[in-house]
Amino acid sequence: MASKPHAPLMKKHSQTDLISRLKSRKILGVGGEDDDGEVHRSKISQMLGNEMKFTVREPIGLRVWILTSAVGFTVMALMALMFPNQLYEVIFEEELSTTSISIRLYGGALLSLALIMWNGLYTAEKIVIQWTLLSEACYFAVQFLVTSVTLMEIGILPNAAILLLLSRVLFLAVTMTYYYHLGRKAKKI
């Protein structure tokens, strides 16, 4: 049997033919905008999604605020655990008449919140940072309410307690501002 020579293969130059490339991309469904306004360069990026939409656009100073909070919570927790009587005397300007176990429990709770703050400092996930800020805001609000009620029951208003209350309102405002700005949707440019 004689083998018949085959004709040389014709190579289509679709890579240089712009119209053909655009038709192919249209058929594949890539190159156009999707519902979110994203332009995908390939079918794979279209299926997997664009990782840029998951990155967190942090407000300026957020990490510094979380670091400051983590350090502050840690220091206050250690003071409450080691020196409960002195901590109470500084704030309420009177000696602690009952056992110091409640102040030490307060220190343990503060240490738990400090661990949350340290975790929030080293994460890149938006939801973890938001929950960290929300936990901090809840703490400041509860501490403000509890301290206010305690001062009304005692009937005194020491300068240290007034300073504590004002600082809690300020810290609550800063924390809620960061929480609000972190939760906002980024504007598309």
Short mmCIF file of all heavy atoms in Angstrom, two decimals, residues 107-129:
data_model
loop_
_atom_site.label_atom_id
_atom_site.label_comp_id
_atom_site.label_asym_id
_atom_site.label_seq_id
_atom_site.Cartn_x
_atom_site.Cartn_y
_atom_site.Cartn_z
N GLY A 107 -10.21 41.61 86.25
CA GLY A 107 -8.92 41.50 85.57
C GLY A 107 -8.87 40.31 84.63
O GLY A 107 -8.30 40.41 83.53
N GLY A 108 -9.47 39.20 85.03
CA GLY A 108 -9.52 38.03 84.15
C GLY A 108 -10.33 38.30 82.90
O GLY A 108 -9.96 37.90 81.79
N ALA A 109 -11.46 39.00 83.08
CA ALA A 109 -12.28 39.35 81.91
C ALA A 109 -11.53 40.32 80.99
O ALA A 109 -11.59 40.18 79.76
CB ALA A 109 -13.59 39.97 82.37
N LEU A 110 -10.81 41.26 81.58
CA LEU A 110 -10.02 42.20 80.77
C LEU A 110 -8.91 41.47 80.02
O LEU A 110 -8.62 41.81 78.87
CB LEU A 110 -9.40 43.28 81.66
CG LEU A 110 -10.25 44.48 81.97
CD1 LEU A 110 -9.46 45.47 82.81
CD2 LEU A 110 -10.74 45.16 80.72
N LEU A 111 -8.31 40.49 80.67
CA LEU A 111 -7.26 39.72 80.00
C LEU A 111 -7.83 38.94 78.81
O LEU A 111 -7.19 38.85 77.75
CB LEU A 111 -6.58 38.78 80.99
CG LEU A 111 -5.27 38.17 80.54
CD1 LEU A 111 -4.25 39.25 80.19
CD2 LEU A 111 -4.72 37.27 81.62
N SER A 112 -9.03 38.44 78.95
CA SER A 112 -9.69 37.75 77.83
C SER A 112 -9.94 38.72 76.67
O SER A 112 -9.70 38.38 75.51
CB SER A 112 -11.02 37.14 78.28
OG SER A 112 -10.80 36.20 79.28
N LEU A 113 -10.41 39.91 77.00
CA LEU A 113 -10.60 40.92 75.95
C LEU A 113 -9.27 41.34 75.32
O LEU A 113 -9.20 41.61 74.11
CB LEU A 113 -11.33 42.14 76.51
CG LEU A 113 -12.83 41.99 76.68
CD1 LEU A 113 -13.41 43.18 77.44
CD2 LEU A 113 -13.51 41.84 75.35
N ALA A 114 -8.22 41.38 76.14
CA ALA A 114 -6.90 41.73 75.60
C ALA A 114 -6.45 40.69 74.58
O ALA A 114 -5.86 41.05 73.55
CB ALA A 114 -5.89 41.85 76.74
N LEU A 115 -6.72 39.43 74.85
CA LEU A 115 -6.37 38.38 73.88
C LEU A 115 -7.12 38.55 72.57
O LEU A 115 -6.58 38.32 71.50
CB LEU A 115 -6.63 37.00 74.48
CG LEU A 115 -5.70 36.60 75.64
CD1 LEU A 115 -6.15 35.28 76.25
CD2 LEU A 115 -4.26 36.51 75.17
N ILE A 116 -8.37 38.96 72.66
CA ILE A 116 -9.15 39.23 71.45
C ILE A 116 -8.52 40.39 70.68
O ILE A 116 -8.42 40.37 69.45
CB ILE A 116 -10.62 39.52 71.80
CG1 ILE A 116 -11.29 38.26 72.35
CG2 ILE A 116 -11.38 40.06 70.60
CD1 ILE A 116 -12.68 38.49 72.90
N MET A 117 -8.09 41.42 71.41
CA MET A 117 -7.45 42.58 70.77
C MET A 117 -6.15 42.17 70.07
O MET A 117 -5.89 42.60 68.95
CB MET A 117 -7.13 43.67 71.79
CG MET A 117 -8.28 44.25 72.50
SD MET A 117 -9.37 45.11 71.40
CE MET A 117 -10.90 44.82 72.24
N TRP A 118 -5.34 41.36 70.76
CA TRP A 118 -4.08 40.92 70.14
C TRP A 118 -4.35 40.09 68.89
O TRP A 118 -3.64 40.21 67.89
CB TRP A 118 -3.24 40.13 71.14
CG TRP A 118 -2.61 41.00 72.20
CD1 TRP A 118 -2.93 41.02 73.52
CD2 TRP A 118 -1.59 41.98 72.01
NE1 TRP A 118 -2.16 41.96 74.17
CE2 TRP A 118 -1.33 42.57 73.27
CE3 TRP A 118 -0.88 42.43 70.91
CZ2 TRP A 118 -0.39 43.57 73.45
CZ3 TRP A 118 0.06 43.44 71.08
CH2 TRP A 118 0.30 44.00 72.33
N ASN A 119 -5.39 39.26 68.92
CA ASN A 119 -5.75 38.48 67.74
C ASN A 119 -6.22 39.41 66.61
O ASN A 119 -5.88 39.20 65.45
CB ASN A 119 -6.85 37.47 68.10
CG ASN A 119 -7.23 36.61 66.91
OD1 ASN A 119 -6.38 36.16 66.16
ND2 ASN A 119 -8.52 36.37 66.75
N GLY A 120 -7.01 40.42 66.95
CA GLY A 120 -7.48 41.37 65.95
C GLY A 120 -6.36 42.17 65.32
O GLY A 120 -6.45 42.61 64.18
N LEU A 121 -5.29 42.35 66.06
CA LEU A 121 -4.15 43.11 65.54
C LEU A 121 -3.44 42.36 64.42
O LEU A 121 -2.98 42.96 63.46
CB LEU A 121 -3.16 43.42 66.68
CG LEU A 121 -1.93 44.23 66.32
CD1 LEU A 121 -2.32 45.62 65.87
CD2 LEU A 121 -0.98 44.29 67.50
N TYR A 122 -3.38 41.03 64.54
CA TYR A 122 -2.58 40.25 63.59
C TYR A 122 -3.41 39.57 62.51
O TYR A 122 -2.87 38.76 61.77
CB TYR A 122 -1.77 39.20 64.35
CG TYR A 122 -0.72 39.83 65.23
CD1 TYR A 122 -0.82 39.78 66.61
CD2 TYR A 122 0.35 40.50 64.67
CE1 TYR A 122 0.14 40.37 67.42
CE2 TYR A 122 1.31 41.10 65.47
CZ TYR A 122 1.19 41.03 66.84
OH TYR A 122 2.14 41.62 67.61
N THR A 123 -4.67 39.88 62.38
CA THR A 123 -5.49 39.25 61.36
C THR A 123 -5.70 40.19 60.18
O THR A 123 -5.58 41.41 60.31
CB THR A 123 -6.84 38.80 61.94
OG1 THR A 123 -7.51 38.01 60.95
CG2 THR A 123 -7.71 39.98 62.30
N ALA A 124 -6.01 39.61 59.05
CA ALA A 124 -6.32 40.40 57.86
C ALA A 124 -7.79 40.28 57.49
O ALA A 124 -8.24 40.91 56.54
CB ALA A 124 -5.45 39.95 56.68
N GLU A 125 -8.54 39.47 58.25
CA GLU A 125 -9.93 39.24 57.93
C GLU A 125 -10.80 40.36 58.49
O GLU A 125 -10.73 40.69 59.68
CB GLU A 125 -10.39 37.90 58.48
CG GLU A 125 -9.70 36.73 57.84
CD GLU A 125 -10.16 35.41 58.41
OE1 GLU A 125 -11.34 35.33 58.80
OE2 GLU A 125 -9.35 34.48 58.47
N LYS A 126 -11.61 40.91 57.62
CA LYS A 126 -12.46 42.05 57.99
C LYS A 126 -13.44 41.71 59.11
O LYS A 126 -13.63 42.49 60.04
CB LYS A 126 -13.21 42.52 56.74
CG LYS A 126 -14.12 43.68 56.96
CD LYS A 126 -14.80 44.05 55.65
CE LYS A 126 -15.77 45.16 55.82
NZ LYS A 126 -16.41 45.52 54.56
N ILE A 127 -14.03 40.53 59.06
CA ILE A 127 -15.05 40.17 60.04
C ILE A 127 -14.44 40.01 61.43
O ILE A 127 -15.06 40.37 62.43
CB ILE A 127 -15.82 38.90 59.60
CG1 ILE A 127 -17.07 38.70 60.46
CG2 ILE A 127 -14.94 37.68 59.65
CD1 ILE A 127 -18.16 39.69 60.17
N VAL A 128 -13.21 39.51 61.51
CA VAL A 128 -12.54 39.36 62.80
C VAL A 128 -12.23 40.74 63.39
O VAL A 128 -12.43 40.98 64.58
CB VAL A 128 -11.25 38.52 62.66
CG1 VAL A 128 -10.46 38.50 63.96
CG2 VAL A 128 -11.59 37.10 62.23
N ILE A 129 -11.79 41.65 62.55
CA ILE A 129 -11.50 43.01 63.02
C ILE A 129 -12.78 43.68 63.47
O ILE A 129 -12.81 44.38 64.50
CB ILE A 129 -10.78 43.82 61.91
CG1 ILE A 129 -9.42 43.20 61.58
CG2 ILE A 129 -10.60 45.27 62.34
CD1 ILE A 129 -8.76 43.79 60.36
#
